[in-house]
């Protein structure tokens, strides 16, 4: 269930209440006249089944409530109510299958913003991965993949393609390119420092690396895993099942590939730099393709579900 908190001008309250009441899957409607002070207006609260949430939010935005007032949406972790159970039963489809496009756009917009924090996390993840590739330590590689924040811009780009939002697409693309470029540059400097202190050596980089050698040797399996991880990541994001994101993060070798390319570049090993860069691009491509197709499939099947429900109710 979702909880909506609305601030509505007093002269629009009846219109909004009618919109909420006619939306199948809503309950617990409450109106507090004159409660809002900034902006001034009435406070309207209601609960809505997740599968009906996108329709209600779109209807409220069509009324201009987001411009003259406010629309706030929260997830309800626990709701002990027979009315809530009935609302979820009446709403079309399953809540786990529903996509809240406004929430997805807002979340990916925030995650795809190029910021100091984003670059810092990506740089730290790449440096951890650099230690992992030199030491051939799989634990460090997994840790680096979990720290890396690159799935945010990737999800933002997929969402922008499906929603036809060029500004979000450009923002996400910029965050990816600039973020990885900055992280790799920092890691090159880090590698030179570690070499100067004799913690990194070219011999270790070129030695047999059974645990991490795949990072600079891309193949079709790399692309297949990236595609599967991209689909799983997008499903996790749209269904609010954040626990799956950890598994997605440690399934693809974007950060380790960038790290290996940076360390190899520091030593002038262009062969490993080229192979790692190809691995990085292959993974990014696989995630973007899979994520976009997953969102398109969700959008298509959800639209079909709503059509069937409309025919049945009609």
């Amino acid at each position: 269930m979702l909880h909506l908190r609305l601030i509505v001008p007093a002269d629009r309250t009846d219109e909004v209440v009618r919109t909420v009441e006619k939306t199948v899957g809503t309950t617990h409607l409450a109106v507090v006249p004159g409660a809002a002070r900034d902006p001034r207006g009435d406070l309207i609260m209601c609960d809505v089944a997740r599968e009906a949430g996108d329709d209600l939010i779109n209807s409220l935005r069509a009324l201009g409530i987001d411009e003259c007032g406010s629309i706030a949406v929260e997830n309800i972790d626990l709701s002990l109510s027979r009315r809530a159970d009935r609302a979820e039963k009446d709403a079309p489809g399953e809540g786990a299958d529903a996509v809240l496009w406004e929430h997805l756009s807002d979340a990916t917009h925030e995650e795809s913003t190029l910021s100091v924090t984003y670059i810092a996390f990506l740089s730290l993840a790449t440096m951890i991965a650099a230690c992992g590739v030199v030491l051939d330590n799989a634990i460090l590689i997994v840790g680096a993949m979990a720290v890396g924040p690159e799935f945010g811009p990737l999800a933002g780009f997929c969402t922008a393609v499906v929603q036809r939002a060029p500004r979000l697409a450009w923002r996400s693309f910029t965050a990816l390119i600039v973020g990885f470029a900055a992280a790799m540059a920092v890691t090159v400097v880090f590698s030179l420092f570690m070499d100067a202190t004799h913690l990194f050596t070219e011999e270790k980089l070129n030695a047999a690396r059974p645990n991490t050698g795949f990072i600079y040797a891309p193949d079709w399996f790399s692309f297949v895993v990236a595609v599967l991880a991209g689909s799983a990541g997008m499903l996790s994001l749209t269904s609010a099942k954040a626990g799956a994101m950890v598994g997605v993060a440690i399934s693809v070798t974007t950060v380790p590939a960038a790290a290996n390319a940076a360390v190899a570049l520091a030593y002038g090993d262009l062969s490993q730099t080229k192979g790692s860069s190809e691995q990085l691009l292959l993974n990014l491509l696989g995630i973007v393709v899979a994520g976009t197709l997953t969102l398109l499939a969700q959008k298509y099947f959800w639209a079909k579900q709503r059509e069937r429900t409309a025919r049945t109710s009609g």
Side-chain angles (χ1 to χ4, degrees):
M1 293 290 289
L2 302 173
H3 178 70
L4 269 65
R5 186 179 68 253
L6 314 173
I7 296 178
V8 181
D11 61 338
R12 306 291 302 278
T13 297
D14 291 342
E15 185 180 17
V16 171
V17 168
R18 285 195 298 269
T19 300
V20 173
E21 288 178 333
K22 74 178 184 181
T23 301
V24 178
T26 59
T27 187
H28 303 153
L29 175 62
V31 180
V32 187
R37 291 293 180 267
D38 183 23
R40 287 189 174 277
D42 298 338
L43 177 64
I44 300 177
M45 295 175 288
C46 70
D47 295 341
V48 59
R50 180 182 175 86
E51 52 269 42
D54 199 53
D55 285 341
L56 180 55
I57 293 171
N58 287 335
S59 297
L60 293 171
R61 293 199 67 185
L63 295 175
I65 303 304
D66 55 325
E67 298 178 0
C68 64
S70 170
I71 303 173
V73 184
E74 300 173 343
N75 281 305
I76 300 177
D77 294 327
L78 177 64
S79 180
L80 302 177
S81 167
R82 289 186 178 180
R83 287 181 175 272
D85 294 340
R86 190 182 308 122
E88 289 188 318
K89 183 179 180 180
D90 292 341
E94 294 293 333
D97 297 333
V99 179
L100 296 176
W101 291 101
E102 292 295 338
H103 178 271
L104 180 62
S105 298
D106 184 70
T108 53
H109 181 278
E110 181 180 350
E111 293 294 327
S112 61
T113 300
L114 183 64
S115 63
V116 174
T117 301
Y118 168 77
I119 293 177
F121 266 112
L122 191 55
S123 298
L124 289 169
T126 308
M127 287 188 283
I128 294 172
C131 296
V133 298
V134 172
L135 298 175
D136 193 35
N137 188 315
I139 295 177
L140 290 176
I141 294 297
V142 170
M145 288 190 285
V147 172
E150 73 280 7
F151 191 79
L154 287 167
F157 189 82
C158 296
T159 303
V161 171
V162 175
Q163 294 291 82
R164 299 178 182 179
R167 294 180 65 180
L168 177 58
W170 178 249
R171 177 192 292 268
S172 303
F173 181 77
T174 301
L176 279 174
I177 299 302
V178 175
F180 271 110
M184 292 173 70
V186 169
T187 304
V188 168
V189 176
F190 173 73
S191 300
L192 293 173
F193 169 77
M194 294 293 280
D195 179 74
T197 58
H198 305 294
L199 293 174
F200 281 8
T201 63
E202 190 172 2
E203 289 73 20
K204 290 181 179 179
L205 180 68
N206 293 323
R209 288 159 48 192
N211 294 320
T212 59
F214 69 93
I215 292 173
Y216 58 90
D219 54 24
W220 280 108
F221 278 106
S222 301
F223 184 74
V224 170
V225 171
V227 167
L228 297 175
S231 293
M234 196 56 68
L235 285 173
S236 174
L237 192 62
T238 56
S239 63
K241 295 185 181 297
M245 288 301 297
V246 177
V248 174
I250 61 178
S251 298
V252 291
T253 54
T254 49
V255 166
N260 201 99
V263 176
L265 184 61
Y267 284 114
D269 188 339
L270 298 183
S271 176
Q272 282 202 39
T273 300
K274 180 176 179 294
S276 302
S277 299
E278 290 176 351
Q279 178 78 276
L280 173 61
L281 294 175
L282 195 63
N283 276 269
L284 293 177
L285 177 63
I287 293 173
V288 167
V289 170
T292 302
L293 292 177
T294 299
L295 281 179
L296 288 172
Q298 287 181 289
K299 191 172 185 177
Y300 173 79
F301 286 116
W302 187 249
K304 289 295 183 182
Q305 172 66 42
R306 291 168 62 183
E307 289 177 7
R308 285 195 296 269
T309 302
R311 287 196 299 268
T312 301
S313 60

